[in-house]
Structures are given as structure tokens and as C-alpha cells.
Amino acid sequence: WCFFSCLLSSKHKLHNMVVSDTDTVLWVVRHGERRDFVDNAWLHTAPFPMDPPLTDEGVDMARKVGEYIRNRYETIDVVYTSPFLRTVQTAQAIVEALETPLRVRVEHGIGEYLTAKFGRSPLPDLKSMEDLLSLHPILDAEYSTVGSLSYPESSQAMNERFKDIVNHLTTEHSGENLLLVSHGAGCEASLRAVWPETPQGRINFHYCGLSKMIKPAGSDRWKVEFFNKVVY
């Protein structure tokens, strides 16, 4: 964690020297409905039981998020997704609905919360980047993840991971509109990373629960327009 934090800290200082004259907009969304939560039989034959895909309903949820953003005449400049299949599929459905030629970047720093109570050891078996690219050519093959995943992970460590990566990405893309596709715990951690007034206690993010945060040009404070919004 020290190496990762120091790396982000040095990059953060470099990018802080550039002041944007436009707002920075951060969208965060949870993945859509996952198959293993509605189809128990799937787990018995799944090659990657800890990395379930979306259901058809989950894909439709994600598509409606993209349509919602497009119909508001909003712009998305860059998209980052967790490496889990359900988030990659969510990101692809959103981008297709946006009807904008975007490449999606796979960023491990916004991956699932790997708490020990889920019994994951040592890490969930995920599809390789090569396999993901063959299934989802919308992914950016040239992007190298900044963050990484480790198991087991405490709640505090997970929140620090998201704070580091959210600060890094929003600094990297100052003045732009970026979308992060993550998980329930990750959506909450992202919100807490930029908004000190986040309600105390656990926030149960809905499938494809959408949040929008804005940092006005010249300001160091974020404003939350909405969070955990359902648009389907």
C-alpha cells in the first residue's frame, strides 16, 4: 500500500500544477444485475465462479444508464472499469448506449472489495486481459492499470485504495467528464473519497445505482448532484 500511495502522491503533485478552467465531473455507477444472484445452478458449472456475468436484465439496466446520460446531453470523455466481468459488461453496454466512440480502460484500483469474510483466497480467478479483449474489443489494450488488488483487504484499506485512485484519476482528468464502473462498496468508497458529507453507515447501492459529482473550475471542493440514483 505504501508504494501505491507514494506513486499516486507523486503523480498527484505533478498534476496539481495544472489548473483547469472547466469543471471536473465524476460519474460513478455500480454494475448491473449479476447472474449468480438469480441463478444458483450457474455456480456449479461456471469456469469462473467468483466472476459472474450480467443477466440480460443487468445488461438492459446498464444500457438505460447510457441512454439516461445521452438524453441529458451530457458528455463522457473517459471510462474506467473494474476488471470483473460484470463491470466490464456494464461499461460496454453504457458506452454503446452513449453512441460515442470511447475506449474503456480496465483499472484494478476500482475493483471489488476483497474482504476475508467472503472466503476468497488468495484472489478471485478472473478472465485474463487477453480474454477480455477478445470478448470486448471496446477495451483499451494500451492502458496499464495504476492500482492493484490484494487479499484479504480490510474496510479501511479498501476505502484508502479508492481514495487514492479516485484522487489520481480526477486529477489526471481535471476539467473532463469521467465515468467509473465499479461495485457496491466501491461506489460508496468513491463517494466518500470526494464528499465529506457522505451519510454515515453503509449505503446499499442499487444495481446500476448512478452518482454524479462536480468539482467546479478553480475549486477544491466537490458538489454532489445526486447519488445512488436508479434510472431504469
Side-chain angles (χ1 to χ4, degrees):
W1 289 112
C2 178
F3 172 77
F4 178 48
S5 297
C6 291
L7 173 65
L8 293 182
S9 177
S10 64
K11 290 186 176 183
H12 182 73
K13 290 176 183 177
L14 286 173
H15 287 286
N16 261 351
M17 294 187 296
V18 179
V19 178
S20 172
D21 59 359
T22 57
D23 296 349
T24 303
V25 181
L26 174 64
W27 299 81
V28 181
V29 66
R30 187 190 177 197
H31 59 78
E33 183 181 70
R34 49 191 288 176
R35 183 171 177 181
D36 59 329
F37 280 15
V38 298
D39 181 7
N40 292 331
W42 175 84
L43 287 171
H44 302 303
T45 58
F48 297 95
M50 298 304 294
D51 190 23
L54 296 180
T55 62
D56 290 343
E57 179 66 19
V59 173
D60 189 56
M61 290 174 181
R63 186 178 298 112
K64 287 176 180 175
V65 169
E67 292 172 352
Y68 172 81
I69 296 173
R70 188 188 76 228
N71 291 337
R72 284 167 55 100
Y73 301 102
E74 301 274 7
T75 299
I76 300 294
D77 299 304
V78 60
V79 180
Y80 288 89
T81 180
S82 155
F84 287 73
L85 181 59
R86 57 190 179 275
T87 51
V88 173
Q89 291 177 326
T90 298
Q92 174 155 333
I94 291 173
V95 170
E96 288 175 349
L98 287 173
E99 299 179 354
T100 303
L102 290 170
R103 290 289 181 185
V104 176
R105 299 176 177 182
V106 176
E107 174 51 61
H108 289 227
I110 60 172
E112 178 69 286
Y113 170 31
L114 300 180
T115 172
K117 69 180 181 181
F118 288 158
R120 297 172 173 141
S121 180
L123 280 171
D125 192 13
L126 306 178
K127 289 184 180 295
S128 67
M129 189 62 189
E130 291 73 18
D131 287 343
L132 286 175
L133 281 166
S134 67
L135 295 169
H136 305 280
I138 198 171
L139 298 178
D140 186 345
E142 298 181 2
Y143 178 75
S144 296
T145 182
V146 175
S148 60
L149 295 171
S150 63
Y151 174 91
E153 181 179 46
S154 68
S155 175
Q156 180 180 353
M158 183 272 296
N159 279 295
E160 287 298 320
R161 166 163 63 90
F162 272 88
K163 183 176 181 180
D164 286 342
I165 194 64
V166 168
N167 286 339
H168 169 72
L169 294 177
T170 54
T171 303
E172 181 82 19
H173 297 286
S174 179
E176 295 184 274
N177 298 265
L178 64 155
L179 170 66
L180 307 184
V181 184
S182 188
H183 308 262
C187 290
E188 179 179 340
S190 298
L191 188 65
R192 295 190 186 283
V194 301
W195 192 35
E197 293 79 17
T198 301
Q200 295 298 312
R202 181 182 176 186
I203 301 173
N204 292 311
F205 270 78
H206 304 290
Y207 283 134
C208 282
L210 182 65
S211 303
K212 181 184 179 184
M213 290 79 83
I214 302 170
K215 185 166 73 170
S219 174
D220 61 356
R221 291 184 61 84
W222 288 86
K223 299 178 180 179
V224 175
E225 185 167 316
F226 54 78
F227 70 92
N228 200 17
K229 184 174 186 174
V230 174
V231 299
Y232 51 87

